[in-house]
Amino acid sequence: MKYKDYYETLGVKRDATESEIKSAYRKLARKYHPDINKTKEAEEKFKDINEAYEVLGDKTKRQRYDSLGSNWQGGADYTPPPGFENFNFNFNQSGAQSFDFGGGGFSDFFTSLFGDMMSGGARTSNKSFGGFDFSQGMSGFENMSGTSSRRSAQKEELDITKNLNLTAKEIFDKKPITVTYTQMDKCGYCNGNGYCTHCGGTGIHSEAKTVKVNLPKNIHEGAKIRLKGEGKFGVNGKKGDLYLVVHYKDSEYEINGSDLTKDVEITPPEAVLGCQKDIITLHGKINIKIPSEVSSGQMLRLKGLGLPDGNGFGVLNAKIKIVVPKNNSEEIKNLYKKIQNLS
């Protein structure tokens, strides 16, 4: 699931006061209320705003949310702690508009963190603009399935999935990769209820973990690497697995299977006249001949200088990139003017 930045949703800073949060919520709720705003995006935006205020407008929920840290980005992959998944809630009040916050209202991210706190009441809005009052909170969320949806009845999910960003050099070197990630679990002292000092009242225990990963042969984009027993702790000593999903992330090379593409920068005179150029590859430094009248974007195919492909190595494509030097003298500019007049 994806991390949701509730502060960004309400347009407030992370250190915003209760008054600032409430003011921002009222303003946005009026703007996007479905009875007023008839655009297609309004209803979804209205749900996001209410969800954000449900968290940031409540001291306990905000404290738990803030315990995740401030380094998260909206849309980033997020794995919930065990025991906080699969809660369904429904809000329905006589004379007011009804939303199903189990399937279409509260997000999976919200229920993964606050499902255990929602058996009582939840903040939303009451009467004004077709049944909603932005100045008062109200209760009315009820567990749709009652006691039958207790956490003990839910299937325990102990596996963790994380992204593993790899560079071409890491794949080429074939050395173990060090992976550091944050594992979140229910607090073992209060069982996620948030009534102890060990978790700071959040109900969540966060721990940084480091593992060594041996990359399999012929690794590819989207491949999953399983690390057995590196997941979450469950009941009766059970332990899940850690799955790492491979993604290529390299600022120097574009990776396509065992083939690589790398920019080689040359000047306009070198492009016209041709030149010899030293370039650094995974296999070491080499010297290549760049032909005259070469164009920007043209590829020079260098065999055997890519990544391992099982029978040897793939291709390195040297992609020509013509770069104009900065701070040219007047003499150089005049020469270019003469060339321009001749062409």
Side-chain angles (χ1 to χ4, degrees):
M1 72 180 66
K2 300 299 182 183
Y3 174 85
K4 303 196 74 168
D5 191 334
Y6 293 130
Y7 291 99
E8 183 178 353
T9 299
L10 293 184
V12 296
K13 297 180 179 180
R14 298 191 75 88
D15 59 354
T17 63
E18 292 182 25
S19 176
E20 289 172 335
I21 290 172
K22 191 171 186 178
S23 176
Y25 166 71
R26 287 179 177 176
K27 182 178 178 181
L28 291 171
R30 287 191 179 97
K31 180 179 179 181
Y32 291 102
H33 191 283
D35 285 355
I36 300 173
N37 192 325
K38 301 299 183 181
T39 62
K40 292 182 180 180
E41 299 80 12
E43 183 174 343
E44 194 62 34
K45 184 74 174 177
F46 186 68
K47 291 178 182 179
D48 289 341
I49 293 165
N50 273 285
E51 179 173 315
Y53 186 60
E54 173 63 36
V55 175
L56 302 185
D58 182 284
K59 288 184 180 180
T60 304
K61 292 188 184 72
R62 184 180 182 182
Q63 183 182 24
R64 178 178 289 189
Y65 176 71
D66 286 345
S67 72
L68 300 180
S70 59
N71 296 323
W72 288 89
Q73 294 181 345
D77 289 333
Y78 164 79
T79 302
F84 289 106
E85 308 92 342
N86 302 322
F87 287 83
N88 294 312
F89 303 93
N90 180 61
F91 167 67
N92 193 357
Q93 173 150 350
S94 176
Q97 191 166 349
S98 175
F99 292 96
D100 176 7
F101 283 96
F106 280 158
S107 65
D108 291 339
F109 174 76
F110 177 94
T111 54
S112 72
L113 281 179
F114 307 110
D116 63 314
M117 301 171 67
M118 297 298 292
S119 58
R123 186 197 327 280
T124 183
S125 310
N126 193 2
K127 297 177 181 179
S128 178
F129 296 104
F132 288 84
D133 180 359
F134 302 107
S135 65
Q136 298 180 4
M138 64 174 290
S139 62
F141 283 96
E142 297 178 356
N143 193 320
M144 292 178 66
S145 53
T147 56
S148 63
S149 64
R150 301 285 187 188
R151 288 194 299 274
S152 59
Q154 303 296 337
K155 182 179 179 180
E156 195 171 28
E157 180 55 62
L158 304 179
D159 293 338
I160 300 173
T161 300
K162 299 285 184 182
N163 289 331
L164 176 62
N165 296 325
L166 294 177
T167 65
K169 189 176 188 309
E170 287 172 329
I171 299 171
F172 180 81
D173 287 344
K174 299 180 181 179
K175 295 178 181 179
I177 306 297
T178 300
V179 177
T180 301
Y181 64 99
T182 300
Q183 180 171 313
M184 297 177 61
D185 284 308
K186 287 190 303 181
C187 175
Y189 292 90
C190 66
N191 197 33
N193 291 318
Y195 299 121
C196 72
T197 58
H198 293 87
C199 63
T202 66
I204 298 174
H205 171 69
S206 181
E207 177 186 9
K209 298 193 68 176
T210 300
V211 294
K212 293 283 187 179
V213 182
N214 292 308
L215 300 179
K217 293 181 179 180
N218 301 323
I219 195 72
H220 59 85
E221 175 83 18
K224 275 190 176 184
I225 301 173
R226 178 191 179 196
L227 300 180
K228 191 173 182 180
E230 294 293 343
K232 302 172 186 175
F233 280 105
V235 297
N236 301 323
K238 285 185 178 181
K239 205 170 183 185
D241 300 330
L242 171 63
Y243 289 89
L244 299 174
V245 182
V246 172
H247 294 283
Y248 295 145
K249 192 171 184 180
D250 196 308
S251 60
E252 184 176 2
Y253 296 98
E254 179 183 330
I255 306 172
N256 183 15
S258 61
D259 295 341
L260 301 173
T261 300
K262 175 179 179 173
D263 287 340
V264 177
E265 295 184 353
I266 62 174
T267 64
E270 289 174 331
V272 174
L273 302 175
C275 63
Q276 298 285 133
K277 206 77 173 176
D278 287 336
I279 65 171
I280 304 296
T281 76
L282 295 175
H283 299 257
K285 182 188 290 187
I286 64 168
N287 184 271
I288 62 173
K289 181 180 180 179
I290 298 176
S292 61
E293 299 182 350
V294 71
S295 300
S296 192
Q298 187 173 331
M299 300 279 196
L300 302 180
R301 185 179 172 87
L302 308 174
K303 293 183 179 180
L305 293 178
L307 293 172
D309 62 3
N311 299 316
F313 295 92
V315 170
L316 171 61
N317 295 302
K319 185 178 181 181
I320 301 301
K321 184 177 181 180
I322 300 175
V323 179
V324 178
K326 303 294 184 183
N327 303 317
N328 292 294
S329 67
E330 286 301 317
E331 183 180 3
I332 292 176
K333 290 179 180 178
N334 288 331
L335 288 173
Y336 274 113
K337 288 178 182 178
K338 291 180 180 179
I339 294 173
Q340 187 178 42
N341 292 332
L342 291 171
S343 59

